[in-house]
Amino acid sequence: MPEPVQNFVAGRWTASHGTESLPITNPATGEVIGRVPLSTGADAGTAVGAARAAFPSWRATPAVERARVLFRLKTLLDEHKEDLARSVTREHGKILTETLGEVQRGIENVEHACGIPTLMLGDTLEDIAPGIDCETVRQPLGVFGVITPYNFPVMIPLWFWPYAVATGNTVVLKPSEQDPLTHQRIVELAQLAGLPPGVLNVVHGGREVVEALCDHPDVVGVSFVGSSKVAEAVYRRASHAGKRVQALGGAKNHLIVLPDADLDATVDACMGSVFGSTGQRCLAGSIVVGVGDAWKPLRERMLDGASVLRLGDGLSAETDMGPVVSATHRDRVRRFVDEGERDGAKLALDGRRATVKGLEGGFWVGPTVFEDVAFDISIGTEEIFGPVAGLNRATSLDEAIGWMQSSRYGNACSIFTTSGKAAREFRYRAGISMIGVNIGVAAPMAMFPFGGSKGSFYGDLKAQSRDAVGFYTDARVVISRW
Ligand code: NAD
């Protein structure tokens, strides 16, 4: 039985006081590869205390020196990229090219945060009145809680904590309890890079730790990513306790294909969007709509492509699609497929009984395709978070946009077309935060804000970019007369 992973508090690895722990599994084999403790609220409190104690001297460390720690971390992450990616594949299941992409996206956030001396600059205006000058200075606020989901265990924590510490704050991170192993290694690398004790702390666990961070009077703000139900609960709880909160939630993304689209490129992009990471991405396409004459060839090509995807261990070069993260999640995805059938959608490709020879203990769901998905049944409205496509036909762009807008989510959407006019109309009317034009996964890079709208996001300032700098600092205004 593996020992539970340790928390990281005040620069030391320490055992959790939680009496329970959960297994961490390799989803391709079902093998238990670690255990994660369910830490207590008191463990969270101890970590907040360590972060609070570290704040004054870290805040007083010049921004250029804080940035240098991140420069060193970036170099170390580059050196360990392959190992980190393999480790994510082992605990999450997605294929190595996908995990390499994830680690790269994480590194890009560290790179961007290295620019903090410039990103944090304030403004000044002389003579706002005769002899009176005005300036803004961006100041850090204290201890931030960062709570992250299982689907990007390297990248999503790196959307937040590098910016929080670059701006001079200190952090308590609670990673997903499903795949917390790889980020342990990143914390070691951050230590090697010279991040002082107490600046970044990690407490493993679940709801009890999250609620303790939301309630703790010394936590000034919370960055959260996860399902919408939990995002909303965290937003309500932490904002009720007077904190600033950014809470990124779930998604139901529509991809709309017009008859004039380049079909080869479009099908590639839609396939990658729906089945990449086994559908476990907040930017994954879920409903693919063929408008008018686009429908028939799109349907045929998507079905052909989906039916030949090879399931397997993400570490094998022969694998196109890995398992889903857990047996519980596999059963949930299968239940959605059962419901879709029962609710009258046409099941054109059924992945429920998929298995992989020699890996029968893995958590497999094969590529699954529905046609004619109504927008009042569960597979038309709920986030499935698995390799399940809903293919629909619309008579016009207007109809397709209407369907998209009926969703309570608003994370991402894409249009495929060669018409600039149609693309412009789409981006103008979409009302959704991350918009792709001939792009299957509309993922903003580190210098742009990442986050959705409607039921996909609770808060105002998003992850990454200048938004992160705004979230982790207060713009203080100084008005001077001498
Ligand atoms: P989740 O909501 O189950 O868990 C997210 C975090 O919240 C974890 O750290 C977990 O321990 C904690 N948590 C779970 N239940 C809780 C509760 N009742 N109270 C307090 N904390 C709780 O999400 P997940 O399954 O780990 O991740 C998948 C979800 O994350 C999907 O909905 C996906 O769309 C979403 N996601 C969104 C984005 C985005 O940018 N909007 C990015 C990645 C993932």
Side-chain angles (χ1 to χ4, degrees):
M1 179 77 80
E3 282 293 306
V5 294
Q6 295 199 305
N7 292 338
F8 186 70
V9 179
R12 280 188 300 276
W13 295 101
T14 47
S16 152
H17 290 91
T19 50
E20 288 174 64
S21 64
L22 299 173
I24 305 161
T25 46
N26 177 341
T29 60
E31 174 202 2
V32 174
I33 55 173
R35 292 196 75 79
V36 64
L38 293 178
S39 300
T40 61
D43 287 327
T46 307
V48 172
R52 189 179 171 196
F55 176 60
S57 67
W58 182 243
R59 182 212 161 155
T61 304
V64 285
E65 283 182 32
R66 297 197 302 258
R68 280 180 201 130
V69 174
L70 293 175
F71 275 112
R72 290 193 290 273
L73 174 62
K74 183 246 178 315
T75 306
L76 290 166
L77 289 170
D78 279 335
E79 284 168 17
H80 291 84
K81 193 170 162 182
E82 175 93 22
D83 292 347
L84 293 167
R86 285 183 169 277
S87 168
V88 176
T89 293
R90 210 165 143 254
E91 61 178 332
H92 175 289
K94 61 188 157 184
I95 65 175
L96 197 53
T97 48
E98 290 164 345
T99 51
L100 280 166
E102 159 170 9
V103 176
Q104 178 58 30
R105 283 290 167 108
I107 293 172
E108 286 161 9
N109 274 281
V110 177
E111 264 168 22
H112 191 51
C114 287
I116 210 66
T118 311
L119 291 170
M120 240 178 123
L121 286 175
D123 300 310
T124 61
L125 183 65
E126 273 186 343
D127 292 327
I128 55 162
I132 300 181
D133 303 331
C134 188
E135 64 188 303
T136 52
V137 283
R138 291 215 153 265
Q139 296 186 343
L141 295 162
V143 181
F144 279 84
V146 174
I147 299 147
T148 53
Y150 81 83
N151 66 326
F152 284 97
V154 166
M155 178 186 79
I156 292 183
L158 294 178
W159 278 354
F160 300 112
W161 73 253
Y163 297 97
V165 304
T167 45
N169 299 285
T170 55
V171 168
V172 178
L173 167 68
K174 196 217 71 73
S176 168
E177 64 278 34
Q178 299 197 65
D179 48 11
L181 298 175
T182 314
H183 222 85
Q184 298 286 90
R185 183 73 188 118
I186 293 181
V187 172
E188 286 170 3
L189 296 178
Q191 244 185 321
L192 272 179
L195 201 64
V199 174
L200 171 64
N201 306 273
V202 180
V203 180
H204 294 287
R207 183 173 182 162
E208 184 174 342
V209 175
V210 173
E211 291 183 347
L213 292 174
C214 290
D215 295 345
H216 200 295
D218 289 336
V219 172
V220 293
V222 172
S223 300
F224 173 90
V225 183
S227 53
S228 284
K229 192 164 155 243
V230 183
E232 187 180 0
V234 164
Y235 181 78
R236 283 182 191 281
R237 190 165 184 136
S239 59
H240 183 70
K243 305 177 197 320
R244 39 176 83 183
V245 190
Q246 47 180 191
L248 286 70
K252 187 81 183 168
N253 304 317
H254 288 225
L255 311 178
I256 297 175
V257 181
L258 298 192
D260 61 10
D262 171 337
L263 198 62
D264 289 340
T266 298
V267 170
D268 273 0
C270 291
M271 287 290 299
S273 179
V274 173
F275 299 112
S277 294
T278 323
Q280 299 164 103
R281 275 195 297 220
C282 69
L283 297 178
S286 178
I287 300 287
V288 186
V289 179
V291 177
D293 291 345
W295 159 254
K296 203 162 168 275
L298 177 71
R299 174 191 174 276
E300 265 165 36
R301 302 274 292 271
M302 288 287 293
L303 269 171
D304 288 350
S307 52
V308 297
L309 286 176
R310 296 165 303 175
L311 281 187
D313 187 333
L315 291 175
S316 159
E318 308 292 302
T319 300
D320 298 318
M321 197 171 90
V324 295
V325 72
S326 64
T328 310
H329 191 52
R330 175 200 59 202
D331 296 345
R332 180 177 178 273
V333 175
R334 285 179 180 166
R335 265 199 310 278
F336 269 116
V337 182
D338 296 343
E339 281 175 22
E341 244 191 334
R342 192 197 60 210
D343 292 342
K346 183 175 156 206
L347 185 56
L349 183 66
D350 182 358
R352 279 174 295 189
R353 272 170 291 279
T355 185
V356 174
K357 202 154 175 272
L359 294 173
E360 287 79 6
F363 311 135
W364 306 109
V365 183
T368 299
V369 179
F370 277 105
E371 287 174 38
D372 300 330
V373 176
F375 291 106
D376 57 358
I377 65 174
S378 68
I379 61 161
T381 53
E382 302 297 321
E383 180 181 47
I384 301 173
F385 223 54
V388 181
L391 298 187
N392 277 359
R393 81 184 87 181
T395 50
S396 64
L397 175 59
D398 205 48
E399 185 177 39
I401 292 178
W403 287 341
M404 183 173 92
Q405 289 174 332
S406 70
S407 173
R408 71 172 188 279
Y409 294 106
N411 211 42
C413 59
S414 292
I415 188 169
F416 294 87
T417 180
T418 48
S419 158
K421 180 173 182 287
R424 184 187 188 275
E425 184 183 345
F426 182 75
R427 61 187 266 179
Y428 193 82
R429 289 177 51 195
I432 285 174
S433 302
M434 294 179 275
I435 301 174
V437 177
N438 299 317
I439 297 284
V441 180
M445 283 188 73
M447 53 297 268
F448 292 96
F450 197 119
S453 46
K454 297 170 45 179
S456 295
F457 182 70
Y458 299 86
D460 44 26
L461 292 170
K462 305 212 167 145
Q464 309 189 142
S465 75
R466 285 209 180 85
D467 272 26
V469 179
F471 186 74
Y472 295 122
T473 57
D474 192 29
R476 283 167 181 158
V477 183
V478 184
I479 302 159
S480 314
R481 172 163 47 201
W482 289 99

